[in-house]
Amino acid sequence: MATGTATNTILPVVLAGGAGTRLWPLSRELEPKQFHRLLGEETLLQQTLGRLARLGGRPPVVVCNDEHRAIVADQCRDCGIEPDAMVLEPVSRNTAPAVALAALNAGARGDDPVLLVTPADHHIGDEPAFAAAVGRAVPFARDGGIVVFGIPPTHPATGYGYIKTGPGLAGDGRGATVAAFSEKPTRTRAEHYLAEGGWYWNSGMFLVRTSVYLDELKAHRPDIHQACVRAGTNRRAGTQWHLAGNTFEQCPGESIDRAIMEKTRKGVVVPADMGWSDIGDWTSLAEVLAKDDHGNTGDGDVVAIDSSDCHLSAQGRLVAVIGIDGLVVVETPDAVLVMPKNRSQDTAALVAQLRQMGRSEYREHKAPRPGESVDGLEG
């Protein structure tokens, strides 16, 4: 394949529709994790937008839930980013339809840009390495490949998907074919992957030409392709692209991995050691935060005595702990979560139970967090 690093033909696609259930009780359906300031002064969405802007490509297409359009617009404006388009989903249908909508929106302009697909809620600690990985991936995407960025695993994580690489394509480690996918393996299997080598964490970030993505989706999942075409017809209002709700609700929900990557012959893995984390749960958030002398992380008004390897988060009140180890304690004005770190993945099941019980806490904050206002008064 040809070589090159130009990124000026890249159209970033920011997937901002995630629910972030594993970061409950801070993340709620109406205000999921991508809209929170978890790692600095900017939200995860704003950090993602800034990182993409510094690549020097085109303004992004942001795909989000229609309920979040105001907060997305506000956060884009606050960080000085004007999206090329906002695609507003009436319901979430996973990543394959979301990217299809962005691709259809881009294709309607009559060109065929390379889409850089990235979730809005991921953390990348080494931005120059990210930019370099994108540069290495561009030639493969231009030549018709569907590039997925593979993260070198540092431990046998069970919360990530894995990709096995096949034969190299460039002869210099720039890219390889995709040999296999594995969804969230057991710890034993994850340990085997690390020992075997050639396996990478699936970052969920892709680089692909617009026409290639739509052609592969049409070939492998024509039902999703057709549903997205029907839902997006003649729904543009300025930069906002509203969908036909009844039609899009009938679209099957599927990930890019299952809809395309597990079936296509165009898959390419580009290794990218860039300090990546999906911030998928409280434990993964703690892994990228600074630790105190006892391995504790957190934020807010917290006091810890004889405690180690804990994540402590206080949103409104004092959180004090004594003699605990390996726990997550998160306080918000209307809920408190306490669990072992090794059960962080189970928070999604808790949110599902709250929904089943008819509890509103799965969806919204019942009480204001510090700095928020109620009835025009400061909280």
Side-chain angles (χ1 to χ4, degrees):
M1 292 185 175
T3 60
T5 59
T7 59
N8 57 357
T9 60
I10 287 177
L11 175 62
V13 175
V14 179
L15 304 181
T21 55
R22 291 179 177 85
L23 281 177
W24 187 90
L26 182 62
S27 180
R28 310 285 174 102
E29 186 175 282
L30 289 182
E31 194 179 353
K33 66 174 179 175
Q34 58 267 28
F35 306 130
H36 290 277
R37 295 170 177 84
L38 298 177
L39 298 168
E41 296 301 316
E42 293 185 313
T43 67
L44 295 179
L45 170 62
Q46 290 172 328
Q47 290 175 345
T48 299
L49 292 170
R51 183 165 58 244
L52 294 169
R54 287 185 286 274
L55 283 178
R58 294 161 58 169
V61 173
V62 180
V63 185
C64 66
N65 193 285
D66 187 70
E67 287 186 314
H68 299 147
R69 66 184 183 278
I71 191 170
V72 170
D74 287 345
Q75 293 199 1
C76 288
R77 182 171 55 252
D78 288 346
C79 67
I81 302 293
E82 184 175 352
D84 182 73
M86 286 176 54
V87 179
L88 305 175
E89 297 177 304
V91 292
S92 295
R93 287 294 181 262
N94 214 319
T95 55
V99 177
L101 294 170
L104 289 166
N105 183 277
R109 321 294 176 84
D111 59 357
D112 189 18
V114 173
L115 306 178
L116 174 56
V117 179
T118 177
D121 53 4
H122 288 188
H123 168 69
I124 294 177
D126 189 341
E127 192 170 310
F130 165 69
V134 173
R136 292 194 303 272
V138 165
F140 298 113
R142 283 179 175 166
D143 285 354
I146 305 177
V147 179
V148 56
F149 294 94
I151 308 300
T154 58
H155 60 280
T158 58
Y160 298 148
Y162 286 71
I163 315 165
K164 183 174 177 58
T165 55
L169 297 175
D172 55 5
R174 287 176 175 265
T177 57
V178 175
F181 281 88
S182 177
E183 286 292 325
K184 296 184 178 180
T186 63
R187 183 174 180 84
T188 299
R189 185 168 291 277
E191 290 173 345
H192 171 73
Y193 292 161
L194 265 67
E196 180 181 2
W199 288 88
Y200 291 84
W201 288 337
N202 183 353
S203 69
M205 299 170 59
F206 300 88
L207 197 71
V208 58
R209 274 204 344 253
T210 300
S211 59
V212 172
Y213 183 85
L214 292 174
D215 287 346
E216 287 296 286
L217 184 65
K218 188 175 182 178
H220 300 295
R221 288 301 303 266
D223 53 342
I224 294 177
H225 182 272
Q226 292 169 7
C228 290
V229 169
R230 290 195 300 269
T233 302
N234 298 324
R235 305 292 294 181
R236 189 185 306 278
T239 60
Q240 295 189 357
W241 206 39
H242 299 264
L243 303 178
N246 292 339
T247 301
F248 191 65
E249 287 175 2
Q250 299 171 17
C251 180
E254 192 65 277
S255 68
I256 297 174
D257 298 322
R258 293 194 180 279
I260 295 179
M261 297 304 292
E262 292 180 359
K263 303 177 178 69
T264 186
R265 296 183 179 180
K266 298 179 180 290
V268 177
V269 181
V270 168
D273 190 358
M274 53 188 173
W276 171 90
S277 172
D278 71 344
I279 315 294
D281 55 40
W282 289 108
T283 298
S284 62
L285 174 61
E287 288 173 351
V288 300
L289 293 173
K291 295 178 172 59
D292 67 13
D293 293 340
H294 302 282
N296 299 310
T297 58
D299 63 277
D301 190 7
V302 300
V303 176
I305 296 176
D306 294 334
S307 300
S308 61
D309 190 30
C310 292
H311 180 74
L312 311 171
S313 178
Q315 296 295 310
R317 294 166 287 179
L318 168 67
V319 169
V321 298
I322 301 174
I324 64 174
D325 178 72
L327 294 185
V328 171
V329 181
V330 181
E331 175 271 339
T332 67
D334 64 343
V336 176
L337 171 70
V338 181
M339 66 179 174
K341 272 189 170 182
N342 62 9
R343 297 292 299 274
S344 289
Q345 288 286 316
D346 295 339
T347 313
L350 173 62
V351 173
Q353 184 170 335
L354 292 174
R355 180 195 293 265
Q356 186 177 16
M357 294 169 62
R359 299 291 303 252
S360 63
E361 289 90 347
Y362 84 90
R363 178 171 169 80
E364 59 187 343
H365 291 272
K366 294 177 65 176
R369 289 181 291 116
E372 294 182 331
S373 61
V374 177
D375 296 329
L377 300 177
E378 290 301 314

